[in-house]
Amino acid sequence: MSETYEFQAETQRLLHLMIHSLYTNKEIFLRELISNSSDALDRLRFEAITQPELVSGDEPLEIRLDPDSEKRTLTVHDNGIGMSREEVIANIGTIAKSGTRELMEKVQATDSEDQLAALIGQFGVGFYSSFMVADRVILVTRRAGEEMATRWESAGDGRYELDEAERDGHGTSITLHLKESDGDDGLDDFTEEWTLKRIVKRYSDFVTYPIRLEVEREKPVLDDEGKPVEGGETKTETEDLVLNSMKPIWTRSEGDVEEAELKEFYRHISHDWSDPMLPVWLKAEGRFEYQALLFVPGSAPFDLYYVGFEPGLQLYVRRVLIMERSADLLPRYLRFIKGVVEASDLPLNVSRELLQHNRQVVAIRKGLVRKVLDTLRKLRDDEPEKYLAFWKEFGRALKEGVDEERDYRDRVIELLMFETSEGEELTTLAAYVSRMPEDQEEIFYLTGESREAVAASPHLEAFHAKGIEVLYLVDPVDELMVQSLTEYDDKKLRSVGKGAIDLSSDDEKEEMQKELEEKEKTFEGMLEAMQKHLDEHVKQVRLSGRLTSSPACLVGAEHDYSPQLEKLLMKGKGGGAKQRRILELNPDHAIVQTLRTRFEEKGEEGVALDKYADLLFGYATLAEGSELVDPVRFNSQVVELMEQGLG
Ligand code: ADP
């Protein structure tokens, strides 16, 4: 029964754009169709492991191009898994696959056609690219294991028709009714043998199934001695060509593979339309033999840090793709890596559970991790600019490795990059340590919301004054990272926002300590009164040795959470008791000194100490980039103070 359907509105818009404004490079439609066919063959071969009846006898799995220059059609056949009627509706009538869902949302949110074109260029639209070269597309497909076939037809105008159909055997045939070329629109003659050969060689050479083309050739008729007969008589002979070399790219040697081939292969396995940043080759011999070709993508996918992100490498066993996305071949923090792994000694019908515990898989995983980390280290040393680009995209994921990685944790740590008080350039821990003065024993850092917020923190004043470098940890995940990154090169990592910090030499220390203790005595009354007033928020008010120009700052006790981590945890739990902090006052600051003198003269009430305590606490809260506990009150106190000041 024939039925007419409408494309989804977004699909229609995409189609319209594709056809009218998009690609100058129209020939890529063939790559997309071949890529789909190759996937469909992979899927059939995989399903046939457990359901051998799906494939008929010794029929070779293949892709066939069938051009007809008179009718001006090109048909791409495959004998892959095919599609049921429902699958046709779901896969071809809608844009529902994972990568495009985000695209769809963005399409809905965009008005500018330019932006749209850029978006689509970034995502690609697979099958629909046929409409760049065809004004009518007919797809006939039969799902392996089913009797009936389905016919789908559309002119790319927003509607499509579905019908029942007949097809010999399973698989899919897609017939394009090619547009007439006006000679100037980038449309080659896609029924031409040489054109097809060129396109396949260029984009699809690595496909592991034969891409066949039957061509008819006029051959001279030969006589008994093998010479052309007199009169130049000819006959038509059919030749069956295979257009691709079929050699899996990961089995070739690295030096023989051209960059363009590598890019096409990456595109095929990743469905990512931008170029990869870096390939990672690995051929392991010995007890467990395996080969891998991995890629660091050019940019991070939008959902890399979402819980639902599906990592995964393709896993082949003796040329059969047995898993499209195996999450067990790499640890989670390397989930951004794409690629192919082929192992020779795994069973074909290996299950997810089996994979997790298989000794060979464990060995492969270890080998892959080492290779990826080493490649990244090399990149960092040889091409620092490129490494920074990598770090910008994937650094956050790598940081998770500090906690997650068991075997090569040190190598992960060597790859980390940090903002620093020493300048705009990022630094490694090794470089930081190499710059440490001899008597500095710890690695100092401060966490915060942004570089600006951290750089302005009062906690750093003494460090600036002494010229001691401090790492700025301004990424929310840094908080979690420093929970497990407590030491590097035998030096403790120490937050300058926590505990009592003393940057002086031992002699100085003793002297300072004495001085501070003496001062504490003179300040004792005031400190106590302030503490009492602020008790709900502050567990101690004390004098500070870390401030030079600010009157006050907040610090945590040695084992407290930092305010950022606290915020992070509170978000997760939806609130909870806040930790009380320590308020440190700068005894050398004019405000603090005057306050004390007035306090001595007039007493707590006379000087309105509670107001100043609130103001200093508010000041210190803002200075570390946290939110005020009671902003309304703080504001009215500031106004009151200004009024007083102006008399
Ligand atoms: P993509 O290939 O990137 O998923 P397409 O729009 O090219 O996007 O294809 C959509 C879906 O249609 C595919 O994911 C696949 O499920 C199905 N499909 C396309 N071509 C074929 C084919 N030759 N055989 C079987 N299924 C196909």
Side-chain angles (χ1 to χ4, degrees):
M1 191 187 57
S2 165
E3 277 183 80
T4 305
Y5 293 78
E6 299 253 319
F7 283 116
Q8 281 179 312
E10 297 77 29
T11 314
Q12 275 188 40
R13 263 186 98 187
L14 286 181
L15 260 174
H16 180 84
L17 260 160
M18 294 255 13
I19 299 166
H20 293 101
S21 50
L22 224 45
Y23 297 103
T24 40
N25 194 14
K26 300 196 190 279
E27 65 195 25
I28 55 115
F29 82 93
L30 189 58
R31 156 182 91 193
E32 296 303 304
L33 295 183
I34 289 175
S35 179
N36 283 346
S37 288
S38 164
D39 290 348
L41 290 161
D42 279 340
R43 246 169 276 161
L44 178 69
R45 193 147 69 169
F46 177 65
E47 287 194 16
I49 296 169
T50 46
Q51 296 166 266
E53 66 281 6
L54 286 183
V55 284
S56 29
D58 48 4
E59 174 197 29
L61 298 180
E62 62 183 21
I63 299 165
R64 206 151 46 74
L65 306 183
D66 184 7
D68 185 327
S69 56
E70 266 156 45
K71 290 194 198 136
R72 292 203 42 75
T73 60
L74 171 66
T75 305
V76 179
H77 300 278
D78 66 65
N79 50 358
I81 191 79
M83 283 177 274
S84 66
R85 186 184 175 99
E86 290 69 39
E87 284 170 329
V88 172
I89 295 173
N91 297 337
I92 304 290
T94 45
I95 292 194
K97 50 188 175 137
S98 57
T100 19
R101 224 171 290 139
E102 191 215 9
L103 170 63
M104 223 161 76
E105 280 162 24
K106 286 193 176 165
V107 166
Q108 279 164 331
T110 325
D111 291 325
S112 132
E113 299 283 291
D114 281 354
Q115 271 176 25
L116 270 184
L119 270 176
I120 296 172
Q122 210 180 309
F123 285 86
V125 283
F127 170 77
Y128 296 111
S129 57
S130 335
F131 287 105
M132 293 191 303
V133 298
D135 43 29
R136 203 149 62 86
V137 177
I138 297 156
L139 171 148
V140 176
T141 183
R142 183 173 146 195
R143 166 85 207 192
E146 290 184 9
E147 286 302 311
M148 280 308 296
T150 304
R151 184 179 190 279
W152 177 100
E153 172 168 354
S154 177
D157 56 358
R159 280 164 305 154
Y160 63 89
E161 270 170 45
L162 273 190
D163 213 341
E164 287 171 356
E166 304 263 319
R167 189 182 194 282
D168 280 345
H170 52 81
T172 304
S173 302
I174 295 172
T175 301
L176 311 183
H177 288 261
L178 298 166
K179 288 183 187 170
E180 289 299 333
S181 166
D182 61 14
D184 200 26
D185 50 12
L187 281 183
D188 282 301
D189 182 352
F190 298 113
T191 62
E192 251 274 319
E193 175 187 344
W194 297 107
T195 307
L196 295 173
K197 267 187 175 164
R198 178 180 60 77
I199 302 175
V200 168
K201 203 74 199 155
R202 170 143 181 214
Y203 299 107
S204 311
D205 193 58
F206 55 81
V207 169
T208 43
Y209 304 93
I211 303 169
R212 293 184 186 283
L213 176 66
E214 267 187 13
V215 288
E216 313 231 299
R217 296 221 195 283
E218 289 298 308
K219 291 259 172 87
V221 177
L222 303 181
D223 62 18
D224 295 343
E225 288 166 27
K227 288 191 192 132
V229 294
E230 267 176 52
E233 214 181 309
T234 61
K235 61 174 180 183
T236 311
E237 268 182 25
T238 323
E239 252 185 75
D240 191 8
L241 307 175
V242 173
L243 305 186
N244 55 329
S245 67
M246 283 195 298
K247 201 163 162 53
I249 203 161
W250 61 88
T251 63
R252 291 165 58 187
S253 62
E254 192 175 337
D256 289 347
V257 179
E258 283 175 34
E259 198 165 324
E261 288 180 90
L262 214 52
K263 282 182 186 169
E264 288 306 330
F265 176 70
Y266 169 73
R267 192 165 291 178
H268 171 70
I269 55 162
S270 68
H271 296 259
D272 174 1
W273 279 49
S274 38
D275 292 339
M277 192 178 296
L278 190 73
V280 181
W281 293 82
L282 181 57
K283 289 189 164 69
E285 278 158 17
R287 198 148 67 98
F288 297 126
E289 275 180 24
Y290 61 92
Q291 300 169 319
L293 175 52
L294 311 182
F295 295 91
V296 178
S299 56
F302 75 99
D303 55 349
L304 184 60
Y305 300 103
Y306 293 4
V307 189
F309 180 80
E310 277 191 58
L313 300 180
Q314 292 189 343
L315 175 61
Y316 282 77
V317 174
R318 296 184 292 281
R319 293 296 123 82
V320 181
L321 177 63
I322 61 161
M323 214 162 280
E324 182 74 37
R325 287 164 170 276
S326 163
D328 302 309
L329 293 169
L330 281 177
R332 181 136 178 100
Y333 74 94
L334 292 177
R335 62 188 173 280
F336 55 87
I337 301 278
K338 306 253 164 114
V340 170
V341 178
E342 174 162 12
S344 34
D345 305 320
L346 284 174
L348 276 175
N349 56 353
V350 67
S351 67
R352 186 72 221 283
E353 290 66 42
L354 214 141
L355 265 191
Q356 279 170 345
H357 306 292
N358 182 286
R359 272 175 48 234
Q360 184 173 0
V361 172
V362 172
I364 292 176
R365 178 174 153 128
K366 210 168 152 177
L368 295 180
V369 170
R370 197 177 53 218
K371 184 71 193 188
V372 168
L373 295 179
D374 286 352
T375 309
L376 289 175
R377 195 199 48 214
K378 221 169 142 345
L379 183 71
R380 187 199 66 198
D381 295 343
D382 300 347
E383 297 175 81
E385 294 279 312
K386 204 166 166 185
Y387 184 73
L388 281 179
F390 161 80
W391 180 256
K392 201 164 141 272
E393 293 297 323
F394 303 107
R396 267 178 76 191
L398 216 57
K399 286 174 187 174
E400 296 168 21
V402 175
D403 191 44
E404 188 188 352
E405 178 59 39
R406 292 281 163 263
D407 303 314
Y408 301 111
R409 184 169 181 270
D410 289 350
R411 300 191 200 206
V412 174
I413 293 172
E414 293 291 350
L415 289 171
L416 301 175
M417 303 293 287
F418 296 89
E419 299 260 0
T420 155
S421 59
E422 280 303 277
E424 297 292 317
E425 272 179 39
L426 300 183
T427 182
T428 57
L429 285 174
Y432 176 98
V433 167
S434 75
R435 287 189 295 266
M436 276 168 56
E438 223 166 89
D439 54 351
Q440 183 183 338
E441 282 159 11
E442 296 171 316
I443 297 171
F444 294 110
Y445 70 87
L446 183 58
T447 55
E449 303 257 313
S450 66
R451 186 182 166 89
E452 289 69 32
V454 173
S457 166
H459 293 133
L460 293 180
E461 285 170 9
F463 290 83
H464 286 322
K466 293 230 168 206
I468 292 178
E469 182 174 0
V470 177
L471 299 176
Y472 295 166
L473 272 52
V474 293
D475 187 335
V477 303
D478 288 346
E479 285 290 348
L480 300 171
M481 182 179 71
V482 288
Q483 301 290 308
S484 59
L485 181 61
T486 51
E487 233 184 68
Y488 172 78
D489 194 15
D490 290 333
K491 291 163 188 69
K492 288 224 159 13
L493 265 80
R494 182 101 132 81
S495 166
V496 307
K498 283 183 188 173
I501 295 258
D502 205 331
L503 297 176
S504 325
S505 67
D506 288 345
D507 287 355
E508 281 175 331
K509 246 183 220 166
E510 224 166 277
E511 206 167 298
M512 288 249 311
Q513 195 58 34
K514 247 190 234 152
E515 217 175 292
L516 213 56
E517 272 165 26
E518 251 152 56
K519 282 183 190 157
E520 293 273 358
K521 268 184 220 140
T522 54
F523 278 82
E524 207 173 359
M526 179 176 96
L527 296 180
E528 250 172 46
M530 284 174 94
Q531 153 73 34
K532 220 181 251 163
H533 175 66
L534 293 172
D535 193 56
E536 194 188 332
H537 313 297
V538 163
K539 60 183 161 201
Q540 191 190 358
V541 181
R542 68 182 183 206
L543 295 183
S544 177
R546 79 184 84 210
L547 296 174
T548 57
S549 57
S550 299
C553 69
L554 286 174
V555 298
E558 195 70 58
H559 298 291
D560 280 358
Y561 298 137
S562 74
Q564 289 76 29
L565 183 58
E566 187 175 46
K567 217 169 167 184
L568 218 69
L569 295 172
M570 300 267 264
K571 255 189 215 153
K573 283 197 291 200
K578 262 182 91 81
Q579 301 175 107
R580 291 188 307 157
R581 317 283 307 284
I582 296 167
L583 180 67
E584 286 194 356
L585 301 183
N586 178 357
D588 300 324
H589 197 280
I591 291 184
V592 180
Q593 286 181 341
T594 316
L595 196 60
R596 189 192 70 86
T597 329
R598 295 285 145 78
F599 174 80
E600 302 287 310
E601 289 165 13
K602 303 186 186 170
E604 192 175 338
E605 311 250 309
V607 72
L609 189 72
D610 52 350
K611 256 182 223 158
Y612 286 100
D614 282 344
L615 280 165
L616 283 169
F617 176 59
Y619 164 86
T621 309
L622 287 177
E624 70 170 14
S626 295
E627 280 164 36
L628 289 169
V629 179
D630 187 349
V632 177
R633 183 154 118 179
F634 182 78
N635 261 357
S636 66
Q637 281 169 339
V638 168
V639 168
E640 202 178 304
L641 200 71
M642 284 199 281
E643 282 167 353
Q644 271 175 22
L646 293 168

